[in-house]
Amino acid sequence: MNRYFPLCFLLLVFFSRPAQAQQNTKQIFIQTDKVTLGFTVGKNQKLYQSYLGEKLANSQDNGLLPATRHEAYVPAGTDNLFEPAIRMVHTDGNPSLELRYDKHTTQQQEENVTATAIHLKDPKYPVEVILHFNAFQKENIIKTWTEIRHKEKKPVVLSNFASAMLHFDAPNYWLSQFHGDWAGEMQQQESQLTSGIKIIDSKLGTRAHKYQSPTFLLALDKPAGENHGELIAGTLAWSGNFQFAFELDEQNSLRILAGMNPYASEYRLEPNKPFVTPAFIFTYSRTGKGQASRSFHRWARNYGILDGNKPRLTLLNNWEATFFDFDEKKLVGLFDGAAQLGVDLFLLDDGWFGNKYPRNDAKAGLGDWQENKTKLPSGIGYLVEEAEKKGVKFGIWLEPEMVNPKSELYEKHPDWILKLPNREEHYQRNQLVLDLINPKVQDFMYNLVDDLLTKNPKVAYIKWDSNRSLTNTYSPYLKTEQSKLYIDYVHSLYKVLGRIRQKYPHLPIMLCSGGGGRVDYGALPFFTEFWPSDNTDGLERVKIQWGYSNFFPAIAMSSHVTSWGKQSVKYRTDVAMMGKLGYDIQVSEFNEKDLQFSKQAVANYKRLSDVIWFGDQYRLVSPYDEDRAVLMYVSENKSKAVLFSYNLQTRHRDRFTQIRLEGLDPQKKYMVQETNLYPETKSSFTANGKTYSGDYLMKVGIAVSPTTALTSAVFEIVEKP
């Protein structure tokens, strides 16, 4: 038979035991409404993964699951021949660890969340490893992390510390990973796993996701599509160095290790102090990538991002209109553009600070967070008031983690900066990284934000940037324990963000890192949205935003209309409306029709945004499969939908098939109406203005793609009585 059991019963038949022999075996199940992760305690008291797949309809069948082939969390130093989940050197120098089941607890944290903790102990050493699992019932998401404790007399040394280890048995494995660089983030690449180890990792410290994203899709047997195929989708909630290891052994079994990268990070763990890994978050789907993504989107809105079920602000940013060249008068003039568009907020970007070393370019001033008296003689408060007179709120850009060598901060506190002794400084974007592990630096960063908001309580938005990765990687504060740096830096960042959120729990803050260099569910609980890429070319943004949509919801994805790209303003706007709409453009340079269109587009977006932000997303045609991309959002009650169609670099002879819609109610009637039309144009689509049953739209479909390159369309689909 070519078919195998769901995400693997993980045992070949000759390893299985009769059901009668398993009746007294202890089993532990982590379950959502549709997914089960099962463990079995063997006679040797070791913990084994026995199942990962679709929840069995009859719970009595759980007792039939094969039991003891793949140890759940494999330690190093004993009989393990492959990559371990954990490696520890004890106080006496013994480099081995053995983990046996001790107990487990299950608690209902809330109606929708069940928490399970499985305690494993070494029989010879006072070491405990606790495997934590939170099961989110309705979203079908499992969140797992590891806690390591010991009571030895002196510190032990950890050199491997996986957040999760998962096991699979299938004929074939297909891995989709997401990679890129500045202005080319989240490019999807799929390949078949072969014997040995495939590693996806980062060693960049901060801005760690610049080249590789801490996300993946793993399909079993054959590549999965949007609506077919068996897979898991996984991501690590960590903003620093990460590692995914996919190891295929001689029996074609696959083990996945997910967690912080152990590179240069041996960790001396003191007695009675817990070492807690970041969470690995995953879901399982038997019906393709689309279902996995919708599970992540629902979970993210409820648990993964700040205020994920609340409205967002549309905005106008000044960066591409002015760059560093602005003054008070010019900024106040730009407020008119925000008011004309009808957006909610004006965002002042880089360049507003520094006096001894004015921030007139990227070479100076970073770290000196006082208003530049030449540019802004009346201060931030004046700008806030002037913006409000025009009916818009005011937001501001910060990069708190970084410093220019040409700054007062650098002169006063050289001991606050990450840099190697006896080596010349190495710069990226003419800047260095502050030693965030130092409590004084943490206070400096917190006070920067707190002082700004205390003096200007009407500031309504912050863009938090981080434009470089870690080099010169030496902490003056840590001194002899430099191997803690990569890990403790991220924990320190979260500590500062936690302090800010404790005092300002709902202030909208965008997560930016030179584009999409830090997009993960470790940071996002502190942020309302993220900046996917500095590349806002409408054509290239289609693939970038498509990649992010596998794991992150539209409400969190800031998407701006800018002057990048040679497409029409309509095309760039339609692409931006796929996420959280904003503008970064000189509005005064719009011609009359472009301005008329843009004003109407903002109004349209505000009318449609609830469906885009909170609806279920269905990716209908991938830009990786055709020279077009089509996707739609459907409201929870299936009364409304919004469909986006983008033609890419199509050729004259291209002909596109009709699109079958998804997610609608087959019994309901829907009117299809093209919206976001450019002034003095009419819809050319035959479906425009017509009413269809949901059944027809999903089985027969409609034409939504013309043949012309770089054209786009937005359709509003509304239930008719």
Side-chain angles (χ1 to χ4, degrees):
M1 295 178 62
N2 292 326
R3 197 65 188 143
Y4 56 94
F5 291 119
L7 265 192
C8 320
F9 278 6
L10 303 172
L11 289 167
L12 300 177
V13 174
F14 57 83
F15 279 98
S16 301
R17 295 183 294 166
Q20 294 86 345
Q22 298 184 51
Q23 288 179 352
N24 296 322
T25 301
K26 184 180 292 293
Q27 293 181 304
I28 306 165
F29 293 103
I30 317 301
Q31 298 195 107
T32 69
D33 287 349
K34 295 181 180 179
V35 180
T36 295
L37 171 62
F39 297 99
T40 300
V41 180
K43 290 182 178 180
N44 58 3
Q45 289 302 108
K46 291 185 177 182
L47 183 72
Y48 296 89
Q49 182 185 319
S50 52
Y51 183 76
L52 173 52
E54 191 170 17
K55 186 176 182 180
L56 299 177
N58 187 347
S59 61
Q60 294 179 348
D61 290 342
N62 290 335
L64 302 174
L65 292 173
T68 54
R69 186 181 178 199
H70 297 300
E71 190 173 351
Y73 195 80
V74 181
T78 52
D79 59 352
N80 172 51
L81 301 177
F82 297 97
E83 198 71 14
I86 181 172
R87 184 177 185 271
M88 175 185 292
V89 177
H90 299 277
T91 301
D92 63 4
N94 190 327
S96 67
L97 188 66
E98 186 177 352
L99 296 176
R100 295 184 182 178
Y101 171 83
D102 178 53
K103 63 180 180 178
H104 74 277
T105 59
T106 301
Q107 296 180 331
Q108 199 71 32
Q109 284 193 340
E110 56 181 87
E111 184 179 357
N112 189 52
V113 184
T114 304
T116 301
I118 304 175
H119 296 249
L120 309 175
K121 288 187 175 181
D122 190 304
K124 301 294 185 181
Y125 289 85
V127 174
E128 182 178 32
V129 175
I130 307 170
L131 307 181
H132 291 274
F133 302 89
N134 279 5
F136 298 84
Q137 308 301 319
K138 295 177 182 178
E139 296 83 4
N140 296 301
I141 290 284
I142 296 174
K143 180 178 179 181
T144 178
W145 68 98
T146 303
E147 182 179 351
I148 303 166
R149 298 175 176 269
H150 77 93
K151 294 183 180 180
E152 299 190 26
K153 294 181 180 180
K154 296 181 180 180
V156 302
V157 177
L158 295 171
S159 56
N160 292 76
F161 24 71
S163 297
M165 173 180 270
L166 296 176
H167 301 270
F168 307 94
D169 279 293
N172 300 289
Y173 308 92
W174 291 85
L175 177 68
S176 292
Q177 64 190 89
F178 299 85
H179 68 99
D181 195 355
W182 177 81
E185 294 88 340
M186 286 300 280
Q187 304 299 306
Q188 187 168 336
Q189 188 175 43
E190 187 170 41
S191 59
Q192 186 173 2
L193 292 176
T194 57
S195 180
I197 300 180
K198 163 81 172 184
I199 290 179
I200 300 172
D201 74 344
S202 169
K203 303 180 182 71
L204 302 181
T206 182
R207 205 178 174 212
H209 310 163
K210 179 179 178 181
Y211 300 131
Q212 301 290 338
S213 168
T215 56
F216 69 86
L217 304 168
L218 179 75
L220 278 295
D221 189 27
K222 60 186 67 175
E226 283 294 319
N227 300 308
H228 66 84
E230 195 166 13
L231 76 149
I232 68 162
T235 186
L236 189 71
W238 184 243
S239 306
N241 294 349
F242 66 88
Q243 184 182 89
F244 296 142
F246 304 84
E247 186 167 24
L248 194 59
D249 69 17
E250 82 290 353
Q251 295 185 356
N252 208 51
S253 295
L254 177 68
R255 69 170 58 172
I256 298 177
L257 289 162
M260 296 180 290
N261 197 331
Y263 165 75
S265 295
E266 284 194 340
Y267 206 94
R268 287 169 53 85
L269 181 62
E270 299 288 340
N272 300 309
K273 290 189 176 181
F275 182 92
V276 181
T277 71
F280 175 64
I281 306 163
F282 69 97
T283 188
Y284 164 86
S285 170
R286 286 197 71 182
T287 54
K289 301 174 184 177
Q291 183 57 54
S293 296
R294 288 186 288 277
S295 294
F296 261 107
H297 297 169
R298 292 190 201 105
W299 175 85
R301 289 193 295 267
N302 291 330
Y303 303 97
I305 58 176
L306 184 67
D307 291 338
N309 291 302
K310 294 184 179 179
R312 296 298 194 256
L313 299 171
T314 55
L315 61 84
L316 173 65
N317 194 341
N318 73 295
W319 179 246
E320 291 201 18
T322 67
F323 296 100
F324 293 102
D325 182 20
F326 59 82
D327 58 19
E328 200 168 77
K329 182 179 179 181
K330 183 181 286 188
L331 291 178
V332 171
L334 294 176
F335 298 163
D336 289 325
Q340 282 182 297
L341 287 174
V343 297
D344 303 306
L345 180 134
F346 179 87
L347 172 62
L348 173 59
D349 214 289
D350 195 357
W352 58 269
F353 50 90
N355 287 296
K356 182 179 180 180
Y357 301 103
R359 182 71 167 175
N360 294 324
D361 53 36
K363 297 178 182 179
L366 195 59
D368 300 343
W369 299 103
Q370 319 90 24
E371 295 102 324
N372 181 280
K373 294 177 181 178
T374 301
K375 291 182 178 180
L376 307 179
S378 304
I380 296 296
Y382 169 76
L383 295 177
V384 174
E385 296 298 330
E386 290 300 306
E388 289 199 344
K389 289 178 183 177
K390 301 293 175 64
V392 294
K393 299 179 180 181
F394 184 87
I396 198 164
W397 178 94
L398 299 173
E399 191 173 6
E401 300 164 66
M402 307 295 167
V403 61
N404 285 131
K406 196 174 181 180
S407 68
E408 292 185 82
L409 180 64
Y410 181 93
E411 292 176 344
K412 293 176 181 178
H413 298 288
D415 57 321
W416 282 13
I417 297 164
L418 293 177
K419 56 180 179 177
L420 290 162
N422 303 318
R423 301 288 183 192
E424 293 197 7
E425 293 174 348
H426 171 254
Y427 306 128
Q428 292 178 4
R429 205 173 183 253
N430 304 292
Q431 61 194 52
L432 297 167
V433 182
L434 293 176
D435 184 3
L436 191 47
I437 301 166
N438 187 331
K440 292 181 180 179
V441 176
Q442 295 175 30
D443 290 340
F444 168 79
M445 287 176 55
Y446 171 79
N447 290 333
L448 156 63
V449 177
D450 187 42
D451 290 347
L452 174 69
L453 295 175
T454 299
K455 293 175 183 176
N456 306 285
K458 291 185 178 180
V459 167
Y461 186 96
I462 288 175
K463 177 182 176 182
W464 181 296
D465 213 339
S466 174
N467 275 293
R468 68 158 304 184
S469 52
L470 290 187
T471 57
N472 307 282
T473 313
Y474 182 93
S475 163
Y477 181 80
L478 283 176
K479 297 179 181 177
T480 60
E481 291 192 277
Q482 294 300 315
S483 63
K484 287 187 173 182
L485 193 156
Y486 285 115
I487 294 174
D488 284 1
Y489 181 95
V490 181
H491 285 312
S492 300
L493 171 65
Y494 293 166
K495 184 177 179 180
V496 173
L497 293 171
R499 288 175 65 186
I500 292 170
R501 280 305 176 198
Q502 187 173 8
K503 186 168 182 180
Y504 305 98
H506 301 292
L507 177 73
I509 305 180
M510 178 202 290
L511 170 62
C512 182
S513 188
R518 182 192 277 167
V519 181
D520 61 82
Y521 287 118
L524 279 172
F526 303 107
F527 295 87
T528 49
E529 57 213 66
F530 67 88
W531 184 234
S533 177
D534 285 345
N535 184 349
T536 50
D537 179 296
L539 174 63
E540 297 188 18
R541 262 296 183 120
V542 170
K543 277 193 175 181
I544 292 172
Q545 294 174 184
W546 192 275
Y548 281 111
S549 75
N550 283 276
F551 299 92
F552 303 100
I555 193 172
M557 195 184 307
S558 294
S559 308
H560 293 181
V561 181
T562 78
S563 57
W564 277 47
K566 297 180 181 180
Q567 313 88 30
S568 68
V569 69
K570 171 177 167 52
Y571 190 92
R572 286 176 277 143
T573 303
D574 289 352
V575 172
M577 287 177 68
M578 171 184 167
K580 202 224 76 170
L581 178 66
Y583 289 80
D584 190 344
I585 201 165
Q586 181 66 273
V587 178
S588 62
E589 294 182 359
F590 278 156
N591 62 41
E592 183 179 347
K593 288 184 179 179
D594 281 353
L595 179 59
Q596 182 183 347
F597 167 79
S598 298
K599 291 169 63 176
Q600 187 58 50
V602 172
N604 288 340
Y605 183 77
K606 290 186 175 183
R607 188 182 74 254
L608 303 173
S609 58
D610 276 3
V611 180
I612 298 168
W613 293 343
F614 309 122
D616 285 330
Q617 184 192 72
Y618 294 86
R619 294 184 296 263
L620 306 179
V621 179
S622 169
Y624 289 92
D625 296 333
E626 299 184 25
D627 282 330
R628 61 172 173 166
V630 185
L631 71 157
M632 64 185 292
Y633 301 88
V634 182
S635 65
E636 186 175 2
N637 64 5
K638 300 183 183 297
S639 65
K640 296 180 181 179
V642 182
L643 184 146
F644 295 95
S645 175
Y646 310 114
N647 274 17
L648 308 181
Q649 293 286 14
T650 55
R651 296 166 297 177
H652 176 70
R653 294 177 61 86
D654 283 338
R655 295 293 182 271
F656 294 119
T657 58
Q658 293 193 157
I659 294 298
R660 295 171 180 167
L661 310 192
E662 295 178 27
L664 303 175
D665 185 333
Q667 304 302 319
K668 290 182 177 180
K669 297 286 187 180
Y670 296 93
M671 174 177 279
V672 177
Q673 190 77 43
E674 185 180 3
T675 188
N676 238 38
L677 289 164
Y678 196 76
E680 300 179 12
T681 63
K682 295 181 180 180
S683 178
S684 61
F685 295 96
T686 57
N688 185 59
K690 293 184 179 179
T691 298
Y692 304 87
S693 70
D695 185 63
Y696 180 93
L697 290 171
M698 292 189 291
K699 289 180 179 177
V700 179
I702 55 175
V704 299
S705 304
T707 59
T708 309
L710 300 178
T711 53
S712 58
V714 181
F715 296 91
E716 189 173 1
I717 302 166
V718 180
E719 179 186 359
K720 299 294 289 184

